[in-house]
Amino acid sequence: MTIIVTGGAGFIGSNFIYFELKNHLEDRVVCLDKLTYAGNLSTLEEALKNPNFAFYKVDICDRAAVYEIFEKERPDAVVNFAAESHVDRSIEDPEIFLRTNILGTQVMMDASLKYGVKRYHQVSTDEVYGDLPLDRPDLFFTEETPIHTSSPYSASKASADLLVGAYQRTFGLPATISRCSNNYGPYHFPEKLIPLMIANALSDKPLPVYGKGENVRDWLYVEDHCSAIDLILRRGTVGEIYNVGGHNEMRNIDIVKLICRKLGKPESLITFVTDRKGHDMRYAIDPAKINRELGWLPKTKFADGLEKTIEWYLTHREWWETIISGEYRNYYEKMYGGREEL
Ligand code: NAD
Ligand code: DAU
């Protein structure tokens, strides 16, 4: 089949493209990406050599351009990763999040209906459930947990999820949704916690931990997220939502200390800075449904995944050093320059 993958020049989308090209030699993968600050064509360098892969630089909000690609490629399936994905940026400037994450999703679904796509998959996030208290480790997000968003980013992703549900029920779009916890691994943009801490530690720069660093995230190696989406796309039930996570909850401060240890850097690099506005305390996914119904289980333990990730950043310095030497420097100055040390 032909699969359209949006946002494939970003972190998870690119890993998914490599996963599909490796595991489904019979399929054709077509990537649509606007190449925003978060999209990087060099990430797809190897894929571009594969005759089963095609790339289009396009904004998913550009209806005419998207329809033209569907007309030409006649996809069987669509996986929509394309999004503005960084919570901190959504707090600075929400508008582009509403445009890409909501209206872009609408365009992709309209195109899927118009061209009779057999499967539409929406890549969503556990952040649509809001957060859990630190003193209730017995609580987890299930697919029945009510939507309760905190940031403009999570509100835009939740809005898209509601639209997907509406398109499925009203227009019969054969859609599924996955809601995954925090990913880490190769090609993770260095504005996010793990790659930012690795890059800063390697340059002996301060490691800015928000608030007290007690917030908990549920980390999953990116390849495990890709295998979950692949399963849902091929075997998931239309109209269903699947939570994806590996029961790997960690406090931010513990992750940062672990990175220091692994890189042989002193913990004195850690600086506690002004907290993120509306900062979610704890995310924790219950993946029982995808395990029970599709037999999905994560393969990579956090210790191994972090080891592989650090190794990747050490051996792909050019990839992230190019990013942090460009426009990213202005971003970093703007976002971290004004943050008070606590
Ligand atoms: P990313 O920011 O690394 O990549 C986003 C990609 O989308 C980039 O290549 C960018 O160029 C592209 N893009 C942005 N706007 C576009 C537009 N208007 N048209 C076409 N392309 C556009 O994001 P990511 O971390 O890889 O996340 C991918 C998806 O997974 C997002 O939908 C996100 O909400 C979801 N998700 C992410 C995580 C995580 O931990 N990173 C966890 C769960 C879900
Ligand atoms: O849970 C899934 C979500 O995970 C995805 O939907 C988002 O697209 C993805 O960006 C991620 O969101 P988070 O806000 O959890 O990830 P981030 O890496 O930005 O932050 C992780 C935690 O680390 C969070 O509690 C904030 C904290 N943090 C982050 C940065 C960038 C710091 O303490 N210092 C930092 O410099």
Side-chain angles (χ1 to χ4, degrees):
M1 65 177 174
T2 295
I3 309 168
I4 281 195
V5 174
T6 70
F11 167 43
I12 310 175
S14 60
N15 277 281
F16 182 74
I17 286 171
Y18 285 117
F19 184 95
E20 292 300 296
L21 291 174
K22 185 173 149 203
N23 292 293
H24 300 286
L25 300 178
E26 69 288 3
D27 289 343
R28 177 172 160 77
V29 179
V30 177
C31 174
L32 274 58
D33 199 296
K34 185 182 174 185
L35 298 181
T36 67
Y37 80 92
N40 203 328
L41 203 49
S42 77
T43 299
L44 294 173
E45 205 178 302
E46 280 308 307
L48 285 162
K49 294 177 191 158
N50 189 320
N52 285 343
F53 178 74
F55 177 84
Y56 293 90
K57 182 176 185 310
V58 67
D59 183 340
I60 58 162
C61 301
D62 184 343
R63 186 175 290 274
V66 168
Y67 283 11
E68 209 174 296
I69 297 167
F70 273 65
E71 178 74 40
K72 183 165 170 225
E73 298 286 349
R74 298 282 165 172
D76 302 286
V78 170
V79 184
N80 187 27
F81 288 94
E84 288 294 333
S85 70
H86 193 31
V87 173
D88 289 330
R89 288 185 190 252
S90 83
I91 295 166
E92 282 299 295
D93 189 3
E95 191 164 333
I96 187 70
F97 286 73
L98 309 195
R99 213 176 96 76
T100 292
N101 299 3
I102 307 173
L103 298 178
T105 296
Q106 185 206 2
V107 170
M108 292 311 299
M109 291 194 296
D110 284 339
S112 300
L113 280 174
K114 185 172 160 69
Y115 289 94
V117 160
K118 294 188 218 56
R119 260 315 156 95
Y120 175 92
H121 182 72
Q122 179 71 8
V123 182
S124 186
T125 166
D126 61 357
E127 296 202 16
V128 301
Y129 299 123
D131 63 353
L132 296 163
L134 288 182
D135 60 357
R136 290 294 307 274
D138 56 313
L139 294 181
F140 296 92
F141 297 137
T142 73
E143 290 79 2
E144 274 70 50
T145 301
I147 282 184
H148 185 78
T149 57
S150 312
S151 70
Y153 162 70
S154 56
S156 70
K157 293 294 292 184
S159 306
D161 284 10
L162 293 177
L163 260 185
V164 174
Y167 266 61
Q168 194 264 316
R169 177 166 169 154
T170 307
F171 304 123
L173 180 73
T176 47
I177 296 175
S178 54
R179 292 177 176 156
C180 189
S181 59
N182 286 62
N183 286 211
Y184 68 101
Y187 300 115
H188 204 180
F189 195 86
E191 68 188 349
K192 306 283 173 68
L193 181 78
I194 289 183
L196 185 145
M197 296 301 165
I198 295 174
N200 280 18
L202 286 173
S203 321
D204 297 304
K205 282 181 29 188
L207 308 177
V209 171
Y210 298 165
K212 294 185 181 147
E214 287 172 343
N215 307 65
V216 169
R217 296 293 182 266
D218 183 0
W219 294 94
L220 184 73
Y221 192 61
V222 63
E223 204 176 45
D224 284 324
H225 186 189
C226 295
S227 73
I229 293 173
D230 181 64
L231 263 184
I232 298 168
L233 187 67
R234 291 162 199 275
R235 303 219 327 260
T237 305
V238 165
E240 292 296 317
I241 295 168
Y242 297 90
N243 280 357
V244 184
H247 281 303
N248 183 55
E249 291 176 49
M250 291 190 68
R251 296 191 312 164
N252 295 340
I253 185 66
D254 296 330
I255 298 233
V256 179
K257 284 183 177 170
L258 190 56
I259 290 173
C260 287
R261 261 205 309 284
K262 296 262 175 215
L263 291 174
K265 298 290 177 179
E267 286 183 10
S268 56
L269 285 176
I270 296 173
T271 51
F272 293 93
V273 298
T274 316
D275 210 349
R276 173 184 280 174
K277 288 179 191 154
H279 200 172
D280 281 338
M281 248 4 263
R282 170 177 169 247
Y283 302 148
I285 279 279
D286 175 359
K289 177 175 171 179
I290 187 167
N291 173 237
R292 193 177 56 244
E293 295 187 8
L294 302 179
W296 177 85
L297 275 175
K299 286 201 179 118
T300 307
K301 291 199 181 73
F302 186 72
D304 301 336
L306 188 65
E307 197 78 53
K308 280 202 269 186
T309 303
I310 289 177
E311 183 58 26
W312 189 88
Y313 280 86
L314 285 170
T315 51
H316 291 76
R317 286 190 90 112
E318 206 189 322
W319 183 86
W320 57 269
E321 280 179 348
T322 307
I323 290 172
I324 65 174
S325 65
E327 180 54 30
Y328 180 80
R329 274 210 287 203
N330 300 336
Y331 162 82
Y332 197 87
E333 192 39 50
K334 188 171 164 219
M335 298 299 264
Y336 292 87
R339 269 183 206 269
E340 226 174 281
E341 233 178 271
L342 300 175

